[in-house]
Amino acid sequence: MHEHSRRPVDFSADPQPERETLSKAVKRIQQLKSELNAIILAHNYMVPPLQDIGDFVGDSLELARKAAETTADVIVFLGVTFMGETAKILSPQKQVLMPRLEARCPMAEMVRVPQVLKLKDQYPSAPVVAYVNTLAEVKAVSDICCTSANALQIVASLPDDEVIFVPDRSLGAYVQRHTEKTIHFAHGYCPTHHRIRVEDIMELKAQYPDACVLVHPECTGDVLDAADRIGSTGGIVRMVEELKDKYQRFVIGTEKGLIYRLQQLHPDKEFYLPSDVVVCPTMKKNRLEYVLDCMENRAPEIEIPEGVRVKALEAVEKMMAVK
Ligand code: 13P
Ligand code: SF4
């Protein structure tokens, strides 16, 4: 085999918690779950032990829907803070615990309220579409939210000829490819997805010409051009299901954690990551011991000033209403 030959992702090479510690922690988490009447919602990017304890694992839209519909009193959210905030915006009566409040998506910090207000001044007839990867206060000054799963439908649902799209310039440019409307997009980006280079995809395609390339729309335009299909993390899960009889190998252009989810669902398939650096450092701040601590201590929890929450809810609910 060529020295640069790429192998399918193998999680067994990652440092693993000691077996006994792991099973003790998992047992205690299960106990606390029933004591607190809690549900554990885990994003597709969580490390394997955290996906394993999730009652539900999914993309940001699927998790927001679960958070809204659950009858649990407590939501333990394993992801980044904008996701926990969306759960709290939708369900203020539920306690939303997160193992690490410093797990903040850097892209969500790339647009602040004054910038949004400036864009609104610049384009007064354009509604503001806020990617869910935003702070609650940015959602509060926006007209409607979207995720990567529904960005195209959300923009299409608006009657306006132009829209302001914040903060992700890559997702904004992807939407622009699919609409006649003018998109005024901001300049945020995902540092993790921007580490995926088209050269890495091409190298994998040269090695495995029979592989199907599925990528997330937070990737750069040249990576999107090299893909067979583009979708949210949940969308990629559905695409593999749909394409599994046609392909044996898949190149996955998104954060490494999704590959564990795909391997669980399709143990007979091979999944390749374009490079080892497609790992989101903030998602990886979540660890099993912190999950246990936050459930034992019922802290830290997500809190949002009520005035901000109520305004942000309008934008989130408008998104949820678009089918
Ligand atoms: P999804 O909504 O596709 O899960 O994406 C969330 C995210 O943070 C992507 O980087
Ligand atoms: Fe944010 Fe990118 Fe990490 Fe997603 S992968 S949480 S967009 S930094």
Side-chain angles (χ1 to χ4, degrees):
M1 203 180 257
H2 187 269
E3 72 171 298
H4 293 302
S5 283
R6 306 289 301 279
R7 294 178 172 280
V9 176
D10 176 9
F11 284 91
S12 67
D14 288 2
Q16 306 292 336
E18 208 230 306
R19 228 186 156 87
E20 205 182 322
T21 322
L22 180 73
S23 78
K24 259 193 186 163
V26 171
K27 216 165 145 201
R28 181 67 187 138
I29 287 170
Q30 299 305 345
Q31 258 175 5
L32 285 163
K33 221 173 66 172
S34 58
E35 279 171 39
L36 301 176
N37 186 26
I39 185 172
I40 301 180
L41 301 182
H43 187 263
N44 284 324
Y45 293 162
M46 289 298 100
V47 288
L50 298 198
Q51 292 199 29
D52 291 345
I53 57 162
D55 293 300
F56 183 80
V57 184
D59 71 13
S60 32
L61 184 61
E62 293 162 342
L63 294 173
R65 291 219 161 99
K66 277 282 162 199
E69 74 195 26
T70 180
T71 55
D73 297 316
V74 175
I75 297 172
V76 180
F77 212 116
L78 311 183
V80 285
T81 50
F82 77 78
M83 297 178 178
E85 285 182 1
T86 306
K88 188 70 182 176
I89 288 166
L90 285 160
S91 301
Q93 73 289 359
K94 295 170 197 160
Q95 185 176 37
V96 180
L97 298 175
M98 290 199 77
R100 274 291 182 266
L101 291 185
E102 49 284 38
R104 298 171 73 84
C105 165
M107 189 211 301
E109 316 274 326
M110 289 180 192
V111 70
R112 302 284 173 160
V113 170
Q115 262 168 285
V116 179
L117 298 182
K118 203 169 151 198
L119 283 163
K120 280 170 108 157
D121 269 355
Q122 235 174 314
Y123 307 108
S125 55
V128 178
V129 179
Y131 191 24
V132 74
N133 300 40
T134 39
L135 307 175
E137 55 261 39
V138 166
K139 292 183 176 73
V141 294
S142 300
D143 295 280
I144 188 165
C145 286
C146 76
T147 74
S148 54
N150 61 15
L152 301 180
Q153 291 99 298
I154 297 293
V155 170
S157 76
L158 299 168
D160 317 80
D161 292 334
E162 49 177 349
V163 305
I164 296 165
F165 192 93
V166 295
D168 188 7
R169 66 177 186 234
S170 295
L171 184 60
Y174 167 67
V175 173
Q176 185 66 86
R177 291 178 179 205
H178 293 268
T179 179
E180 306 264 283
K181 298 173 199 270
T182 306
I183 312 285
H184 305 292
F185 45 88
H187 288 283
Y189 66 96
C190 165
T192 300
H193 285 86
H194 276 217
R195 281 191 211 119
I196 300 175
R197 301 178 324 145
V198 71
E199 293 82 353
D200 297 325
I201 303 264
M202 292 326 228
E203 200 183 304
L204 271 162
K205 273 177 84 157
Q207 195 182 338
Y208 301 113
D210 60 333
C212 178
V213 181
L214 306 175
V215 310
H216 196 279
E218 286 176 12
C219 293
T220 53
D222 53 350
V223 170
L224 301 193
D225 289 338
D228 293 299
R229 297 244 199 131
I230 299 161
S232 70
T233 59
I236 293 175
V237 169
R238 287 186 291 279
M239 286 168 200
V240 173
E241 180 59 37
E242 195 188 313
L243 298 167
K244 66 179 187 217
D245 295 334
K246 211 168 147 202
Y247 296 95
Q248 172 58 21
R249 297 188 167 103
F250 293 88
V251 174
I252 303 297
T254 193
E255 211 272 348
K256 185 178 175 184
L258 182 67
I259 292 193
Y260 179 70
R261 175 94 199 278
L262 293 168
Q263 287 175 343
Q264 299 302 104
L265 296 168
H266 307 283
D268 55 323
K269 300 284 168 193
E270 290 174 22
F271 297 99
Y272 296 84
L273 201 60
S275 95
D276 294 341
V277 296
V278 199
V279 174
C280 172
T282 42
M283 285 280 183
K284 266 44 192 186
K285 285 187 195 287
N286 293 291
R287 291 165 44 171
L288 194 70
E289 59 268 37
Y290 304 146
V291 179
L292 182 54
D293 285 352
C294 91
M295 291 178 78
E296 294 276 15
N297 302 326
R298 296 194 67 155
E301 75 173 294
I302 296 287
E303 284 172 300
I304 304 173
E306 188 58 8
V308 172
R309 189 195 69 78
V310 170
K311 283 203 199 142
L313 180 63
E314 283 179 37
V316 175
E317 277 187 329
K318 270 194 213 150
M319 166 181 85
M320 306 286 259
V322 176
K323 292 291 167 222

